[in-house]
Amino acid sequence: MTPEQVRPGSAASVAVLGAGSWGTTFAKILADAATASDVDRRIRIWGRRPEIVDQINSLHRNPQYLADVELPPSISASTDVAEVFAGADLVVLAVPAQSLRLQLRSWKGLLEPDALVVSLMKGLELSTDARMSEVIRQELDIPAERVAVVSGPNLAMEIAREEPTASVVACADSAVAGWIARSCTAPYFRPYTTSDVVGVEIGGIVKNVIALAVGICEGKQMGDNTKASVITRGLAETSRLALALGGEAQTMAGLAGLGDLVATCSSPLSRNHTAGRLLGQGLTLDEVAEKMTQTAEGIKSGQAVHELAGKLGVEMPITAAVVAVLAGKLSVDQLGPLLLARELKPEGDY
């Protein structure tokens, strides 16, 4: 899609696939952005659970994920995916990363011919090591210029409460990125744009694994020095992988790199941080899953990140240690000494 083909204004009809915390919150952002710009916009959320869909429609709330946050009246929900897709010029995907490919295969015929697709997902596909934008392009058979990624420090509950947040819209076509950014600019949500899709996605993927490590440290009652060291060296690992894949160093220093990493590693609202803390306290993976209502993507994507790093010859000792813990090959008690296990060298050498 060339800049000349991008329609003026912003999205008129939006389909959001996924009624979890981030999907519902992004629907609210889009609704509030339309209100702020005096734009008539219809937003429909697809959810697989009828009770959540009913609550969105009747109560204008999603109590399962967003407590008492009130949703704008322009948002509706349905379990009928064809109804949600119909007429949408913007499609937002917010489903678990590992289920995306199969879902897209059944949804492909529902996508409007010129619709743009946005990924909110922060995961790497197991077995293929594919980023979510790559899965979308492969399964929907659309060019990179029609696929965008939104990432950054995006703790859903804080944004749903309208606490000021900045984020990044990444797309190979800068005009498309700008169109999507205009569509989601709300009084409390400020999107920036970039063409570095690889860097933005890798930042969002690896930070989940690093957040698990920081959470484990917290669960083991390690101090702030340890956590700060893991966050900083975790950013170095993320940067090495992103650069090896063609991402930009500037992205790693921005909202989708450092910003997302800090928020995810430090907030009790972070699913990956919470999962790591529970592991550090001695719970098993099954026990962690029972306590959490949403997916901690780092648990699923960690192995894929580790495999991809191996293929590219990228050193990622923190990631390797976390994956070993998740696989049961290493106890959380053995994790600490391995978190900074790399040969001595100048700090700036990636």
Side-chain angles (χ1 to χ4, degrees), residues 195-207:
S195 60
D196 184 14
V197 176
V198 172
V200 168
E201 283 193 290
I202 292 300
I205 292 164
V206 182
K207 59 97 183 186

Side-chain angles (χ1 to χ4, degrees), residues 42 79 93 95 126 132 144 179 188 203 215 223 228 230-231 307 314 322:
R42 180 178 62 178
T79 56
L93 298 171
V95 299
L126 293 170
M132 294 299 99
W179 187 86
Y188 52 88
V230 173
I231 290 172
E307 290 176 358
V314 175
V322 170

Side-chain angles (χ1 to χ4, degrees), residues 13-27:
S13 178
V14 183
V16 178
L17 286 298
S21 59
W22 189 208
T24 306
T25 295
F26 201 74

Side-chain angles (χ1 to χ4, degrees), residues 142-267:
I142 57 178
E145 291 77 14
R146 284 179 58 191
V147 180
V149 175
V150 172
S151 192
N154 299 147
L155 296 165
M157 182 57 78
E158 290 188 1
I159 300 174
R161 291 172 180 158
E162 302 187 9
E163 298 177 15
T165 302
S167 195
V168 179
V169 178
C171 183
D173 188 323
S174 60
V176 171
W179 187 86
I180 293 169
R182 288 195 298 275
S183 298
C184 64
T185 299
Y188 52 88
F189 190 81
R190 202 299 191 186
Y192 292 80
T193 60
T194 180
S195 60
D196 184 14
V197 176
V198 172
V200 168
E201 283 193 290
I202 292 300
I205 292 164
V206 182
K207 59 97 183 186
N208 287 331
V209 184
I210 306 305
L212 285 170
V214 173
I216 290 171
C217 291
E218 188 168 302
K220 294 297 295 177
Q221 298 186 326
M222 296 180 187
D224 291 334
N225 285 340
T226 303
K227 290 182 283 186
S229 297
V230 173
I231 290 172
T232 306
R233 295 315 302 168
L235 180 61
E237 286 194 12
T238 308
S239 299
R240 286 197 293 272
L241 184 60
L243 293 173
L245 290 167
E248 300 171 9
Q250 178 178 319
T251 301
M252 295 299 98
L255 290 162
L258 178 61
D260 199 8
L261 181 65
V262 169
T264 307
C265 288
S266 60
S267 174

Side-chain angles (χ1 to χ4, degrees), residues 88 118 234 316 338:
V118 170
M316 301 186 73
L338 296 178

Side-chain angles (χ1 to χ4, degrees), residues 68-105:
D68 59 353
V69 173
E70 186 170 356
L71 301 176
S74 57
I75 296 174
S76 63
S78 176
T79 56
D80 184 342
V81 70
E83 177 186 342
V84 170
F85 264 98
D89 54 354
L90 180 63
V91 174
V92 178
L93 298 171
V95 299
Q98 304 310 323
S99 67
L100 177 64
R101 189 178 293 275
L102 287 179
Q103 287 179 307
L104 288 180
R105 287 178 183 175

